[in-house]
Amino acid sequence: MKTVLITGANKSIGFETARQLLQQGYYVYLGCRDLQKGQQAVSQLQSEGLTQVEPIQIDVDSLESIQAARQTLGQKTKVLDVLVNNAGVSGILPQPALETDINLIRQVFETNFFGVIAVTQAFIDMLKLSSEPRIVNVTSGLGSITLQNDPAWKYYHVKLAGYFPSKAALNAYTTVLAYDLRDTAFKINAVDPGYTATDFNHHSGPGTIPDAAARVVKAATFGPDGPTGQFFSDDNSPETGISAW
């Protein structure tokens, strides 16, 4: 049975990603900052007959929490097959370039960028023991620098001084990570789940959580011939699913 760790998985897209991977036969470690909320999420899944799941406490903003989670998971399994870096924040809106508090921008980067790096580095040894390791970095279509400079793009006027650069940086890190592991069995991709109605955006998005999670799951379950080092976004590019960087 393949194993997967999903950060920020006690609700919304992360929770649905856990559900769909459980339905595909994965054993899910459901990452959450609040262990009580994580247990509630696990109980919900178990009530649906999805029993191969347990919560793991992990706060991606805390190196101590990440290391504790690594130690905990290492006591449960030697091999991690999939890492889904799902935890993320938008920060207080709006975020104009000249007026947004620098501390808010730092906090957005701490979660969306540095947190992903810290978690990936902490669990990479377990992933390397997998025969088909997969890393999915959940990004945003707003992280495309190319499209952010295209006045014809439907989201051109959505400019967020913390969130957009943090996701652009995450995309860049994904590219470097995929390059560094290019001669291995790793498949490492950035996935935009789309503008989805969640707590993240006050349920303003037109997309559904199941559809959003399915995009993440698709990249998490790529076969040996699957792509690596790509930025997938059905929202940005409905024809091919591959977004401009």
Side-chain angles (χ1 to χ4, degrees):
M1 180 179 293
K2 288 187 175 181
T3 57
V4 54
L5 170 63
I6 308 169
T7 63
N10 61 283
K11 64 177 183 177
S12 299
I13 296 172
F15 179 74
E16 179 62 23
T17 299
R19 175 187 279 126
Q20 292 185 20
L21 285 170
L22 283 163
Q23 291 169 342
Q24 292 196 30
Y26 284 72
Y27 195 100
V28 174
Y29 295 99
L30 192 147
C32 51
R33 286 186 301 175
D34 185 324
L35 194 57
Q36 182 176 357
K37 291 182 179 178
Q39 187 56 62
Q40 291 171 350
V42 165
S43 296
Q44 172 62 39
L45 293 167
Q46 291 174 337
S47 72
E48 300 172 13
L50 302 170
T51 59
Q52 303 298 322
V53 55
E54 59 184 290
I56 293 288
Q57 187 170 25
I58 181 169
D59 180 351
V60 304
D61 292 352
S62 166
L63 289 176
E64 291 79 8
S65 176
I66 292 169
Q67 290 301 323
R70 167 61 184 83
Q71 183 175 6
T72 298
L73 193 60
Q75 294 170 350
K76 298 176 180 294
T77 180
K78 292 183 179 180
V79 181
L80 183 63
D81 296 288
V82 182
L83 172 62
V84 178
N85 286 306
N86 170 73
V89 297
S90 59
I92 299 171
L93 305 179
Q95 293 175 14
L98 298 179
E99 288 82 29
T100 303
D101 189 320
I102 186 66
N103 291 315
L104 181 143
I105 295 176
R106 290 183 191 278
Q107 182 55 55
V108 172
F109 264 79
E110 190 64 43
T111 302
N112 295 355
F113 181 59
F114 295 113
V116 170
I117 297 174
V119 171
T120 301
Q121 291 181 346
F123 289 92
I124 195 67
D125 60 331
M126 297 180 70
L127 287 159
K128 285 182 177 179
L129 295 177
S130 171
S131 60
E132 295 185 334
R134 306 289 179 260
I135 298 175
V136 181
N137 292 332
V138 179
T139 186
S140 168
L142 296 176
S144 170
I145 296 176
T146 298
L147 294 176
Q148 285 280 4
N149 282 285
D150 181 0
W153 185 44
K154 60 183 175 180
Y155 299 127
Y156 176 71
H157 295 291
V158 182
K159 295 288 190 287
L160 306 173
Y163 185 71
F164 156 39
S166 75
K167 290 300 188 179
L170 174 60
N171 291 347
Y173 176 73
T174 303
T175 299
V176 174
L177 184 62
Y179 175 82
D180 285 353
L181 295 170
R182 66 194 181 282
D183 295 326
T184 71
F186 274 87
K187 306 297 180 186
I188 301 164
N189 294 286
V191 176
D192 166 28
Y195 188 15
T196 306
T198 67
D199 293 344
F200 198 80
N201 53 39
H202 306 290
H203 296 270
S204 62
T208 69
I209 289 176
D211 285 347
R215 297 181 179 107
V216 177
V217 169
K218 181 180 178 180
T221 57
F222 277 144
D225 295 329
T228 189
Q230 294 285 354
F231 175 11
F232 293 102
S233 175
D234 291 344
D235 200 355
N236 286 350
S237 182
E239 299 82 9
T240 66
I242 299 176
S243 176
W245 291 98

